[in-house]
Amino acid sequence: MLQQVLAYVVQLVSFSRVNLSGSSLADLLVAVCQLAIFDDRAVVESCVGVLDAVVRFGAVPPAALCVCVRAMCSAITMKGLVTGVWGVVDRLVRSSQANSFMCCLTDIVKAGKENERIGREVSIIRGAVYLLGVVGWTSP
């Protein structure tokens, strides 16, 4: 059921982007990304689809960008999701939000270095380090 709701959100974002204001889109993305961080693979894949639609047909509101980056860092460590997440990352890096995206990644790594009890966030930090390396090598 949750995947169907997220598929509907993808269609909503894709075909009626004009109707979503910045704050409502930011709230929607924060909710979607909170699902993506520690949920099962099918839900995370649907969340990546929502992120892809938002980045492809518009832009991530600044208020939701770091939450979205955390979700992508977590998702890229899941088997089978690398290609989908990389598509979103590639579009973000080639957009006007590239600098903010990179700042969010470095903030995740810094917070992980300073926090001795990272627990559940190991996959997020691992994903951030991976994305920093890949973006650094592949971006023009």
Side-chain angles (χ1 to χ4, degrees), residues 3 14 23 27 39 78 100 110 120 123:
Q3 287 108 350
S14 300
S23 63
D27 293 342
D39 217 331
M78 295 180 132
S100 299
K110 282 182 196 174
R120 300 181 350 172
S123 66

Side-chain angles (χ1 to χ4, degrees), residues 69-125:
V69 171
R70 288 177 58 81
M72 286 185 282
C73 288
S74 177
I76 203 154
T77 62
M78 295 180 132
K79 188 174 183 174
L81 294 180
V82 174
T83 305
V85 174
W86 177 248
V88 177
V89 169
D90 187 48
R91 284 183 196 81
L92 272 173
V93 169
R94 296 179 192 280
S95 75
S96 62
Q97 294 179 305
N99 189 37
S100 299
F101 173 78
M102 295 300 286
C103 287
C104 290
L105 285 176
T106 55
D107 288 347
I108 291 169
V109 174
K110 282 182 196 174
K113 182 179 178 185
E114 294 168 358
N115 188 359
E116 294 176 5
R117 295 176 25 185
I118 49 179
R120 300 181 350 172
E121 299 202 0
V122 171
S123 66
I124 296 171
I125 296 166

